[in-house]
Amino acid sequence: MKTTIRVLLTLAIVFLGYICVMSVVTPINFENKRNAREVVVAEKLADIRIAENEFRLQNGRYTANMDSLVLWLQTGSKKEVVKEGALTEKQLEAGMTEAKAVKIIQKAQKTGNYKEVKEQGLEGFVRDTISSPVLEALYHGKYDNESVKQLIYIPFTDNVKFEAETNDNYTTSQGIRIPLVEVRAHYNTYLADLDDQERVNLIDREEQLSHYPGLKMGDINEPNNNAGNWE
């Protein structure tokens, strides 16, 4: 009988010890995995921000349609100014400006007469507008037409898309209308396979602070320069 009691007490002590250890280890493991995953999710949100900003620049608005955003990245173009050479102090003092220099060069290109270009010392001066694929212009090889398809999916999920909303009706106190965009990834997406109780506790803490329970960039309620809530 005494032996049985000792065994039971030993098992109880071991079990209680395990519970105590896990009560410390589980939150630490959860936070470590959460932090590591949020680095990856935040990087994607930052890349989506780059695309949304250029989309607005070209179209005057943002888009909440992630599939359309990918298609635009695959097929769109971006105009860029190629700059080579610079005006010297002597040229500037003589009244030369970049606009005047461009006109002189454009005239020479049309007529084939480069006499004035040489006289003004503009042989190495280039200001030319070129059009390049928007995907390459924005990401410089980070994505291609195939890999960019994954940009709109939240990492560590089974192809769950980022949530996106736009607000084209926000008006400042000065009467200026400003388009707004917000792209989000809830904790229940990229942390879904981690400890349930820790995730529930995390969501509850953020909601009590009136924070979005997850990562997001931009805000559809007020302009914030499309800042991320992780920054």
Side-chain angles (χ1 to χ4, degrees):
M1 186 67 178
K2 291 182 178 179
T3 302
T4 302
I5 294 174
R6 288 197 190 98
V7 170
L8 291 174
L9 286 174
T10 300
L11 291 174
I13 292 170
V14 170
F15 178 73
L16 290 173
Y18 172 79
I19 294 298
C20 290
V21 170
M22 292 307 295
S23 69
V24 175
V25 171
T26 299
I28 293 175
N29 287 340
F30 179 86
E31 281 302 305
N32 288 340
K33 290 179 180 178
R34 172 197 167 193
N35 292 334
R37 291 186 180 191
E38 290 193 337
V39 171
V40 181
V41 177
E43 182 180 356
K44 272 204 174 183
L45 281 168
D47 285 344
I48 291 174
R49 174 169 58 197
I50 291 171
E52 287 281 8
N53 286 342
E54 181 62 26
F55 187 92
R56 180 202 170 181
L57 189 65
Q58 294 192 24
N59 299 281
R61 61 179 178 82
Y62 296 108
T63 179
N65 188 319
M66 294 287 95
D67 291 315
S68 292
L69 185 66
V70 167
L71 181 61
W72 173 77
L73 286 170
Q74 292 172 319
T75 60
S77 61
K78 176 178 172 61
K79 291 183 178 179
E80 297 179 289
V81 177
V82 177
K83 291 186 177 183
E84 294 179 12
L87 298 176
T88 64
E89 289 292 332
K90 184 177 180 181
Q91 288 171 319
L92 293 170
E93 290 172 1
M96 181 62 69
T97 64
E98 289 212 356
K100 289 180 180 179
V102 169
K103 286 183 178 181
I104 291 171
I105 293 171
Q106 288 177 340
K107 179 182 177 182
Q109 290 172 337
K110 288 181 180 180
T111 63
N113 185 351
Y114 285 81
K115 181 180 179 181
E116 188 176 6
V117 172
K118 293 178 181 179
E119 290 176 348
Q120 297 294 336
L122 298 172
E123 293 94 330
F125 187 87
V126 177
R127 294 294 184 273
D128 197 12
T129 301
I130 63 171
S131 184
S132 56
V134 69
L135 190 60
E136 177 60 31
L138 295 183
Y139 300 112
H140 309 289
K142 183 175 183 179
Y143 298 103
D144 57 27
N145 275 4
E146 188 61 32
S147 63
V148 76
K149 295 177 183 178
Q150 296 302 312
L151 179 61
I152 61 176
Y153 296 107
I154 302 171
F156 312 105
T157 70
D158 187 17
N159 287 338
V160 176
K161 291 181 182 178
F162 285 97
E163 295 180 61
E165 280 188 80
T166 58
N167 178 3
D168 295 326
N169 298 313
Y170 178 85
T171 304
T172 67
S173 57
Q174 291 78 32
I176 301 172
R177 183 169 291 183
I178 301 175
L180 303 176
V181 66
E182 183 174 310
V183 184
R184 305 180 294 267
H186 197 279
Y187 287 139
N188 281 333
T189 57
Y190 62 92
L191 302 180
D193 61 328
L194 301 186
D195 187 85
D196 288 336
Q197 190 58 55
E198 290 298 325
R199 187 177 69 258
V200 169
N201 292 344
L202 175 62
I203 292 171
D204 184 58
R205 288 197 301 271
E206 294 299 301
E207 289 180 341
Q208 286 187 24
L209 294 170
S210 297
H211 294 166
Y212 175 70
L215 293 183
K216 73 167 188 169
M217 78 83 182
D219 195 307
I220 58 169
N221 296 309
E222 59 181 357
N224 72 347
N225 201 31
N226 289 341
N229 65 350
W230 66 91
E231 296 173 314

